[in-house]
Amino acid sequence: MNQFPQTTVPTAAAAPAVSPPPYGTSPITISCHGRIRVDSDAPGGYGYISRFVNDNGHHVITESPLEALKIQILPSRGPQNALAVNSSTSYAWLGIKYNVVKGPRLAAMVTTEGRNATGAARSSSMRYTGESRSAVWNIFLDGSVTVTVPISDNSTTFTCWEPAIRLSDGLIHFFKDTDSMATLRSQGQDWTRARLRFEAI
């Protein structure tokens, strides 16, 4: 199975140091507002994370900057939280929710009810039944954005999940490994790898 890059946060008696991030340059260290741009190599596979969600409560992409989700980045020593400033949902934090029906190998982009939300935290997703997480974002000074999650509960080792767009409906998901995306492609779904960039506004 092809795994995406991992990074480890070593523990120590006090003030543990965070290892270098898997991508980008240095992480943003001040609170700032912006939106997330989505790009891919596929025709039509571009836009912004929309402030609106689909019928399943999952965020999709929009071509219009006016419909983009505005977020506020809250820096931290590990994966960051992103406050959803203008989401159409009633939940405050941008995050992910696992689809456990297909195993913990893909996750939808959702909004969740709590900062650092994990476990049974409620989210905008009305379909997936896995846990929600909000402290998953890594936003760097060069604008690059990655999503990292711990490899297991209470682990200090994190793995990068790759963003992808389903071109037929603009849905954006995160995949744990390339095999998971290949499985859905073999079922006729038009997933393509994506790149996320933060645009300050």
Side-chain angles (χ1 to χ4, degrees):
M1 180 178 294
N2 297 318
Q3 294 287 338
F4 294 124
Q6 295 184 355
T7 182
T8 301
V9 181
T11 57
V18 178
S19 65
Y23 300 113
T25 53
S26 299
I28 290 177
T29 57
I30 59 172
S31 178
C32 56
H33 292 77
R35 59 197 175 205
I36 297 178
R37 179 171 175 82
V38 184
D39 290 297
S40 77
D41 295 329
Y46 63 89
Y48 295 91
I49 302 301
S50 175
R51 62 182 295 264
F52 301 104
V53 296
N54 65 13
D55 291 341
N56 292 317
H58 302 164
H59 279 279
V60 294
I61 62 173
T62 176
E63 293 184 6
S64 172
L66 298 178
E67 295 183 353
L69 178 70
K70 296 177 182 178
I71 60 173
Q72 179 182 0
I73 301 302
L74 302 180
S76 67
R77 291 184 59 83
Q80 300 157 322
N81 281 278
L83 180 66
V85 176
N86 66 336
S87 173
S88 64
T89 76
S90 60
Y91 302 102
W93 301 94
L94 186 63
I96 63 172
K97 187 175 183 68
Y98 299 122
N99 180 7
V100 297
V101 175
K102 292 181 172 63
R105 300 189 182 283
L106 72 156
M109 183 182 290
V110 300
T111 46
T112 73
E113 69 173 345
R115 180 178 178 179
N116 294 314
T118 60
R122 293 186 302 167
S123 77
S124 60
S125 176
M126 295 173 283
R127 178 181 179 185
Y128 290 179
T129 58
E131 70 177 14
S132 301
R133 289 184 178 273
S134 57
V136 297
W137 304 100
N138 303 274
I139 300 180
F140 305 102
L141 293 176
D142 68 353
S144 58
V145 179
T146 63
V147 163
T148 54
V149 298
I151 61 173
S152 61
D153 291 341
N154 302 317
S155 175
T156 56
T157 299
F158 292 76
T159 182
C160 265
W161 284 41
E162 178 147 345
I165 305 169
R166 191 164 66 186
L167 298 174
S168 57
D169 57 6
L171 186 64
I172 183 165
H173 269 30
F174 297 90
F175 288 81
K176 181 178 181 179
D177 51 63
T178 54
D179 291 347
S180 301
M181 193 185 306
T183 297
L184 294 184
R185 284 175 174 169
S186 69
Q187 298 171 359
Q189 298 190 33
D190 54 349
W191 290 98
T192 185
R193 288 183 174 182
R195 298 175 297 277
L196 306 182
R197 295 195 66 82
F198 178 75
E199 294 184 354
I201 55 175

